[in-house]
Amino acid sequence: MESSPNISALDPIVALAKRRGFVFPSSEIYGGLGSCYDYGPLGVELKRNVKDAWWRSMVHRREDVVGIDCSIIMHPRVWEASGHVSNFNDPLVECAHCGLRMRQDQIDAGIEKCAKSENKQHAFGEPRSFNLMFKTHLGPVEDEASTVYLRPETAQGIFVNFLNVVDSTRVKLPFGIAQQGKSFRNEITTRRFTFRTCEFEQMEMEFFCRPQESAAWYEYWRKERLQWFIDLGVSPERLRLRDHRPDELAHYSSACADVEYLFPFGWSELEGIACRGSFDLTQHAQHSGKTIIWRDQANNETLVPHVVEPALGTDRAILVFLIDAYTEDEVEGNPRTVLKLHPRLAPYKVAVFPLLRKDGHPEKAQEVYRMINESYHAFYDDSGNIGRRYRRQDEAGTPVCVTVDHQTLQDDTVTVRNRDTLEQHRVKISALRAELAALFGF
Ligand code: ATP
């Protein structure tokens, strides 16, 4: 549920993203392509860090979840079984004043408005159903039989591989299968930067459990997923869990909650956590004719597991981390823009500067840079005055700057400057690694 539009509040973030190389409009030299974006040199690092943080928490640090990486194009019958061919539709209406096509529910919620009509009165035709899946053809012949879809979610790749994972690993109920990857939806209304795009990445996990345990696991995953954002530095007061009303639930779903974030345009969905019951496995069993069950040899038990699904959009998470980290403050009477990103997410953990471009400073700074870069992704910068170099790193979200100066050459100490507290102190180069580890917590 999205509310209270105030899209312009995103402008400073969009500008910083472009200026510093986090996010660029796609195909910009050709005028851009609606709702498509590219990640620049800093953005791609941030994205990798977000995906790594998720994978670490959902797969590597657990003994009950394994990963998978499925193809984007799957057998078209997958999408018949999942219900996407018949049900993955949005109600589309066209405004008689401005010609814009919009989603009926977004007009009802006050998110979409006619841009031309002065009193914002609308004249809409009857809504018609619009399927969000992108179609293409596999092979040289473009006919009905060769029609395939770009996946609109990563989850179905997990369900159709349920038996493969069970047979090839030693998983025991309850267990999860996690996947990260691109999904595609021909969204009717995009805008709002990377919040809703037609090509995006998802990080989804299907957690399979005994039916009688699914309510407890649902409670567990609701809390766990909210906490993940808080642990990565997102302001708790800008996060909330919103339980879906019964009339919002899919027919097969017994409960669903969204992790919502207070975006500049209002509270909106960031991640969904859903109890999907046995719907997906049962559908695929029926449509494929295969027996898809869990068989416990030890106590001769067979059952169709129930599923709890936390589903997060990678790009939407990145947008939240950027918005939440974006801060304007003052340093010595001068305005400063700083991205207070969690050290795990920051594209560079440390920047290393020689104070001067002479007197042996660059050689020593290069040495320090190479040493730090062994453990933490670091950035070397010797251009411009030191104040300007600090500002650039503040905008990039770099938590620590290390400066080599005259004194370094005498006593092997460097100045360490903290992005958030602005505190500076001298540290022995030999103690730098331990100091950074203590500060970052890794
Ligand atoms: P909506 O109803 O807003 O279209 P949804 O509830 O269908 O979204 P899900 O299918 O639950 O979304 O997808 C899980 C997550 O994937 C969402 O919480 C969101 O973070 C992300 N997501 C979904 N669609 C998009 C999109 N078009 N662009 C970016 N991220 C998306």
Side-chain angles (χ1 to χ4, degrees), residues 153-224:
E153 61 174 39
T154 62
Q156 296 305 323
I158 296 176
F159 294 122
V160 301
N161 275 293
F162 176 82
L163 292 176
N164 283 335
V165 172
V166 168
D167 291 345
S168 61
T169 64
R170 304 185 64 82
V171 288
K172 297 264 179 298
L173 272 190
F175 71 91
I177 306 177
Q179 171 159 226
Q180 299 181 331
K182 289 260 178 168
S183 293
F184 301 81
R185 297 182 187 179
N186 201 358
E187 300 277 4
I188 297 167
T189 35
T190 49
R191 287 185 283 163
R192 294 187 171 165
F193 200 31
T194 54
F195 178 82
R196 187 185 301 285
T197 53
C198 291
E199 173 179 346
F200 56 101
E201 279 204 44
Q202 290 188 307
M203 305 192 278
E204 299 193 289
M205 197 268 287
E206 307 303 319
F207 197 79
F208 301 94
C209 61
R210 290 182 170 78
Q212 65 273 23
E213 292 169 356
S214 76
W217 279 112
Y218 171 65
E219 283 309 314
Y220 171 87
W221 283 112
R222 284 167 95 246
K223 295 199 183 85
E224 193 75 9

Side-chain angles (χ1 to χ4, degrees), residues 354-416:
L355 182 65
L356 304 175
R357 281 165 114 169
K358 56 178 186 177
D359 298 346
H361 295 190
E363 292 76 6
K364 189 70 183 170
Q366 274 288 337
E367 209 178 282
V368 173
Y369 160 73
R370 279 196 295 270
M371 182 198 83
I372 295 174
N373 202 41
E374 286 293 313
S375 315
Y376 300 111
H377 191 209
F379 183 76
Y380 180 84
D381 187 7
D382 62 5
S383 57
N385 71 48
I386 199 83
R388 200 173 299 154
R389 281 184 260 169
Y390 282 147
R391 289 306 165 274
R392 266 205 298 268
Q393 293 308 316
D394 287 341
E395 285 200 338
T398 310
V400 170
C401 292
V402 168
T403 304
V404 164
D405 57 15
H406 296 293
Q407 199 180 325
T408 312
L409 305 177
Q410 287 151 21
D411 65 4
D412 248 10
T413 62
V414 287
T415 303
V416 171

Side-chain angles (χ1 to χ4, degrees), residues 349-353 355 368 371-372 376 386 390 394 398-405 407-408 411-440:
K349 316 301 180 201
V350 182
V352 182
F353 310 145
L355 182 65
V368 173
M371 182 198 83
I372 295 174
Y376 300 111
I386 199 83
Y390 282 147
D394 287 341
T398 310
V400 170
C401 292
V402 168
T403 304
V404 164
D405 57 15
Q407 199 180 325
T408 312
D411 65 4
D412 248 10
T413 62
V414 287
T415 303
V416 171
R417 182 244 198 201
N418 184 302
R419 175 197 70 195
D420 299 341
T421 64
L422 295 168
E423 188 267 339
Q424 301 191 20
H425 63 278
R426 296 199 77 91
V427 180
K428 277 263 180 213
I429 292 173
S430 56
L432 203 49
R433 170 76 179 81
E435 165 137 350
L436 294 171
L439 182 70
F440 298 156

Side-chain angles (χ1 to χ4, degrees), residues 2 88 90 103 105-106 132 152-153 185 187 190 194-202 204 244 258 269-272 309 311-317:
E2 300 161 26
F88 199 51
D90 272 344
R103 256 168 63 176
D105 57 333
Q106 301 214 330
L132 300 184
E153 61 174 39
R185 297 182 187 179
E187 300 277 4
T190 49
T194 54
F195 178 82
R196 187 185 301 285
T197 53
C198 291
E199 173 179 346
F200 56 101
E201 279 204 44
Q202 290 188 307
E204 299 193 289
H244 284 205
D258 289 341
E269 175 179 340
L270 168 57
E271 170 162 3
E309 173 198 80
L312 170 62
T314 313
D315 310 86
R316 202 173 284 184

